[in-house]
Amino acid sequence: DAYLMFGDAAVLNQAWVGYNHTTNQLMLHTGSTITMDGNVGINTTSPNEKLQVVGNIQGGGVDQASNKFNTSAIFRGQNDGAAYINLIAKDDANSGILLGVSASGVIDSYVAGLLYSNTTNTLNIHVNNQNAIVIDSSQQVGVGVAVPTARLHVAGNARVTGAYYDSNNSPGTAG
């Protein structure tokens, strides 16, 4: 085993780089480990994947004009077992999850996704490169409609296999 240690008079061995022959690991004492099979662990000494992080992950972008951090994606696990992906965009931009197709190993375009528009406060579900479902800021839902004008607005035919209920919760009849 070999280690290179860093510190000062107040705190010895504050950080170090080392190789452990028994485990065949290169370690960075900041909680990071790189194994010889190519796995990288942050805040773990035994990563099981190519990248394993114990804790939250945040990545983002910087606005070139203002040089300020303006977007982020945060992968967060909670102590209660809950897990979240937070996608945060500027107030005049979209955030979402895009599903794409690849020709020759490069993602050429997205064909489906879940997009939120901060400018219109709408949640859109895209399928086959088209806006399939939209939920607007008034919680109106449009199917095949970009701007719904009722609680449920469907462009085209609709099929219901049960009854329609009125405001008194009484089922209607066909006719």
Side-chain angles (χ1 to χ4, degrees), residues 13-84:
N13 304 332
Q14 182 67 23
W16 50 265
V17 176
Y19 173 74
N20 183 313
H21 182 73
T22 305
T23 61
N24 202 25
Q25 293 179 331
L26 173 67
M27 294 174 286
L28 308 172
H29 177 70
T30 56
S32 302
T33 301
I34 301 171
T35 64
M36 292 320 217
D37 61 1
N39 292 347
V40 176
I42 299 174
N43 207 26
T44 179
T45 58
S46 54
N48 297 318
E49 301 293 336
K50 290 298 176 192
L51 175 61
Q52 182 175 350
V53 177
V54 175
N56 298 335
I57 302 171
Q58 181 172 356
V62 174
D63 181 55
Q64 298 299 325
S66 66
N67 200 29
K68 292 183 180 177
F69 188 74
N70 64 6
T71 61
S72 68
I74 304 169
F75 298 86
R76 178 176 292 146
Q78 301 295 101
N79 290 335
D80 63 1
Y84 302 95

Side-chain angles (χ1 to χ4, degrees), residues 76-159:
R76 178 176 292 146
Q78 301 295 101
N79 290 335
D80 63 1
Y84 302 95
I85 298 174
N86 300 353
L87 302 174
I88 302 166
K90 291 175 34 176
D91 60 0
D92 62 349
N94 298 331
S95 57
I97 299 171
L98 304 176
L99 306 172
V101 295
S102 173
S104 71
V106 177
I107 295 178
D108 298 322
S109 64
Y110 79 90
V111 293
L114 181 66
L115 300 171
Y116 180 77
S117 170
N118 285 320
T119 55
T120 61
N121 291 317
T122 56
L123 181 65
N124 299 275
I125 299 173
H126 286 246
V127 177
N128 198 23
N129 286 325
Q130 296 180 14
N131 194 9
I133 299 173
V134 62
I135 303 172
D136 71 11
S137 61
S138 300
Q139 297 180 354
Q140 297 186 133
V141 177
V143 178
V145 174
V147 181
T149 58
R151 179 63 75 188
L152 176 61
H153 186 161
V154 178
N157 298 330
R159 181 178 303 246

Side-chain angles (χ1 to χ4, degrees), residues 17 65 81 164 169:
V17 176
Y164 288 101
N169 204 26

